[in-house]
PDB file of all heavy atoms in Angstrom:
ATOM      1  N   GLY C 461     -32.817  34.793  47.197  1.00 98.00           N
ATOM      2  CA  GLY C 461     -32.053  35.742  48.004  1.00 98.00           C
ATOM      3  C   GLY C 461     -30.564  35.724  47.829  1.00 98.00           C
ATOM      4  O   GLY C 461     -29.867  34.771  47.487  1.00 98.00           O
ATOM      5  N   ALA C 462     -29.984  36.954  47.969  1.00 98.00           N
ATOM      6  CA  ALA C 462     -28.544  37.176  47.749  1.00 98.00           C
ATOM      7  C   ALA C 462     -27.734  36.314  48.632  1.00 98.00           C
ATOM      8  O   ALA C 462     -26.572  35.904  48.314  1.00 98.00           O
ATOM      9  CB  ALA C 462     -28.263  38.616  47.858  1.00 98.00           C
ATOM     10  N   ASN C 463     -28.302  35.991  49.873  1.00 96.00           N
ATOM     11  CA  ASN C 463     -27.410  35.293  50.836  1.00 96.00           C
ATOM     12  C   ASN C 463     -27.253  33.814  50.416  1.00 96.00           C
ATOM     13  O   ASN C 463     -26.452  32.989  50.999  1.00 96.00           O
ATOM     14  CB  ASN C 463     -28.002  35.315  52.173  1.00 96.00           C
ATOM     15  CG  ASN C 463     -29.280  34.796  52.316  1.00 96.00           C
ATOM     16  OD1 ASN C 463     -30.151  34.711  51.406  1.00 96.00           O
ATOM     17  ND2 ASN C 463     -29.643  34.147  53.579  1.00 96.00           N
ATOM     18  N   LYS C 464     -28.017  33.447  49.311  1.00 97.00           N
ATOM     19  CA  LYS C 464     -27.808  32.006  48.821  1.00 97.00           C
ATOM     20  C   LYS C 464     -27.010  32.029  47.504  1.00 97.00           C
ATOM     21  O   LYS C 464     -27.011  31.032  46.861  1.00 97.00           O
ATOM     22  CB  LYS C 464     -29.195  31.334  48.546  1.00 97.00           C
ATOM     23  CG  LYS C 464     -30.214  31.528  49.790  1.00 97.00           C
ATOM     24  CD  LYS C 464     -29.919  30.478  50.844  1.00 97.00           C
ATOM     25  CE  LYS C 464     -30.741  30.619  52.109  1.00 97.00           C
ATOM     26  NZ  LYS C 464     -32.048  30.374  51.847  1.00 97.00           N
ATOM     27  N   ALA C 465     -26.558  33.200  47.065  1.00 98.00           N
ATOM     28  CA  ALA C 465     -25.960  33.238  45.802  1.00 98.00           C
ATOM     29  C   ALA C 465     -24.743  32.367  45.625  1.00 98.00           C
ATOM     30  O   ALA C 465     -24.528  31.627  44.609  1.00 98.00           O
ATOM     31  CB  ALA C 465     -25.623  34.688  45.491  1.00 98.00           C
ATOM     32  N   ILE C 466     -23.893  32.377  46.607  1.00 98.00           N
ATOM     33  CA  ILE C 466     -22.680  31.562  46.535  1.00 98.00           C
ATOM     34  C   ILE C 466     -23.117  30.001  46.446  1.00 98.00           C
ATOM     35  O   ILE C 466     -22.496  29.251  45.631  1.00 98.00           O
ATOM     36  CB  ILE C 466     -21.675  31.746  47.642  1.00 98.00           C
ATOM     37  CG1 ILE C 466     -21.149  33.228  47.501  1.00 98.00           C
ATOM     38  CG2 ILE C 466     -20.512  30.666  47.713  1.00 98.00           C
ATOM     39  CD1 ILE C 466     -20.296  33.615  48.644  1.00 98.00           C
ATOM     40  N   ALA C 467     -23.991  29.650  47.316  1.00 98.00           N
ATOM     41  CA  ALA C 467     -24.492  28.273  47.343  1.00 98.00           C
ATOM     42  C   ALA C 467     -25.050  27.814  45.999  1.00 98.00           C
ATOM     43  O   ALA C 467     -24.755  26.785  45.554  1.00 98.00           O
ATOM     44  CB  ALA C 467     -25.432  28.042  48.419  1.00 98.00           C
ATOM     45  N   LEU C 468     -25.834  28.709  45.355  1.00 98.00           N
ATOM     46  CA  LEU C 468     -26.308  28.343  44.041  1.00 98.00           C
ATOM     47  C   LEU C 468     -25.292  28.187  43.003  1.00 98.00           C
ATOM     48  O   LEU C 468     -25.340  27.168  42.248  1.00 98.00           O
ATOM     49  CB  LEU C 468     -27.304  29.555  43.620  1.00 98.00           C
ATOM     50  CG  LEU C 468     -27.971  29.243  42.149  1.00 98.00           C
ATOM     51  CD1 LEU C 468     -28.798  28.006  42.080  1.00 98.00           C
ATOM     52  CD2 LEU C 468     -28.769  30.463  41.713  1.00 98.00           C
ATOM     53  N   ALA C 469     -24.355  29.055  43.049  1.00 98.00           N
ATOM     54  CA  ALA C 469     -23.208  28.912  42.132  1.00 98.00           C
ATOM     55  C   ALA C 469     -22.531  27.548  42.332  1.00 98.00           C
ATOM     56  O   ALA C 469     -22.125  26.848  41.360  1.00 98.00           O
ATOM     57  CB  ALA C 469     -22.162  30.032  42.291  1.00 98.00           C
ATOM     58  N   LYS C 470     -22.184  27.286  43.644  1.00 97.00           N
ATOM     59  CA  LYS C 470     -21.523  25.971  43.882  1.00 97.00           C
ATOM     60  C   LYS C 470     -22.411  24.769  43.553  1.00 97.00           C
ATOM     61  O   LYS C 470     -21.844  23.741  43.062  1.00 97.00           O
ATOM     62  CB  LYS C 470     -21.255  25.914  45.370  1.00 97.00           C
ATOM     63  CG  LYS C 470     -20.269  26.854  45.915  1.00 97.00           C
ATOM     64  CD  LYS C 470     -18.891  26.501  45.656  1.00 97.00           C
ATOM     65  CE  LYS C 470     -17.918  27.537  46.203  1.00 97.00           C
ATOM     66  NZ  LYS C 470     -16.520  27.204  45.728  1.00 97.00           N
ATOM     67  N   CYS C 471     -23.703  24.950  43.659  1.00 96.00           N
ATOM     68  CA  CYS C 471     -24.632  23.913  43.447  1.00 96.00           C
ATOM     69  C   CYS C 471     -24.669  23.509  41.853  1.00 96.00           C
ATOM     70  O   CYS C 471     -24.701  22.425  41.444  1.00 96.00           O
ATOM     71  CB  CYS C 471     -25.971  24.160  43.987  1.00 96.00           C
ATOM     72  SG  CYS C 471     -27.293  23.213  43.301  1.00 96.00           S
ATOM     73  N   ILE C 472     -24.704  24.608  41.021  1.00 96.00           N
ATOM     74  CA  ILE C 472     -24.861  24.291  39.712  1.00 96.00           C
ATOM     75  C   ILE C 472     -23.729  24.512  38.728  1.00 96.00           C
ATOM     76  O   ILE C 472     -23.719  23.992  37.580  1.00 96.00           O
ATOM     77  CB  ILE C 472     -26.158  24.939  39.007  1.00 96.00           C
ATOM     78  CG1 ILE C 472     -25.983  26.588  39.038  1.00 96.00           C
ATOM     79  CG2 ILE C 472     -27.447  24.632  39.786  1.00 96.00           C
ATOM     80  CD1 ILE C 472     -27.037  27.140  38.215  1.00 96.00           C
ATOM     81  N   GLU C 473     -22.702  25.336  39.175  1.00 98.00           N
ATOM     82  CA  GLU C 473     -21.547  25.533  38.232  1.00 98.00           C
ATOM     83  C   GLU C 473     -20.311  24.679  38.598  1.00 98.00           C
ATOM     84  O   GLU C 473     -19.445  24.578  37.756  1.00 98.00           O
ATOM     85  CB  GLU C 473     -21.152  27.009  38.343  1.00 98.00           C
ATOM     86  CG  GLU C 473     -22.105  27.935  37.601  1.00 98.00           C
ATOM     87  CD  GLU C 473     -21.631  29.428  37.584  1.00 98.00           C
ATOM     88  OE1 GLU C 473     -20.825  29.745  38.500  1.00 98.00           O
ATOM     89  OE2 GLU C 473     -22.102  30.132  36.723  1.00 98.00           O
ATOM     90  N   GLU C 474     -20.312  24.170  39.823  1.00 97.00           N
ATOM     91  CA  GLU C 474     -19.184  23.256  40.123  1.00 97.00           C
ATOM     92  C   GLU C 474     -19.606  21.857  40.303  1.00 97.00           C
ATOM     93  O   GLU C 474     -20.761  21.585  40.069  1.00 97.00           O
ATOM     94  CB  GLU C 474     -18.549  23.832  41.387  1.00 97.00           C
ATOM     95  CG  GLU C 474     -17.954  25.273  41.178  1.00 97.00           C
ATOM     96  CD  GLU C 474     -17.095  25.843  42.252  1.00 97.00           C
ATOM     97  OE1 GLU C 474     -16.613  25.102  43.125  1.00 97.00           O
ATOM     98  OE2 GLU C 474     -16.882  27.029  42.229  1.00 97.00           O
ATOM     99  N   GLY C 475     -18.683  20.983  40.685  1.00 97.00           N
ATOM    100  CA  GLY C 475     -18.964  19.570  40.750  1.00 97.00           C
ATOM    101  C   GLY C 475     -19.814  19.234  41.923  1.00 97.00           C
ATOM    102  O   GLY C 475     -20.050  20.001  42.886  1.00 97.00           O
ATOM    103  N   VAL C 476     -20.182  17.880  42.011  1.00 98.00           N
ATOM    104  CA  VAL C 476     -20.828  17.434  43.179  1.00 98.00           C
ATOM    105  C   VAL C 476     -19.824  17.342  44.232  1.00 98.00           C
ATOM    106  O   VAL C 476     -18.799  16.774  44.120  1.00 98.00           O
ATOM    107  CB  VAL C 476     -21.362  15.906  42.904  1.00 98.00           C
ATOM    108  CG1 VAL C 476     -21.985  15.314  44.113  1.00 98.00           C
ATOM    109  CG2 VAL C 476     -22.305  15.926  41.608  1.00 98.00           C
TER     110      VAL C 476
END
Side-chain angles (χ1 to χ4, degrees):
N463 64 332
K464 307 284 173 68
I466 293 174
L468 176 62
K470 294 281 180 188
C471 164
I472 66 171
E473 285 184 338
E474 296 189 16
V476 176

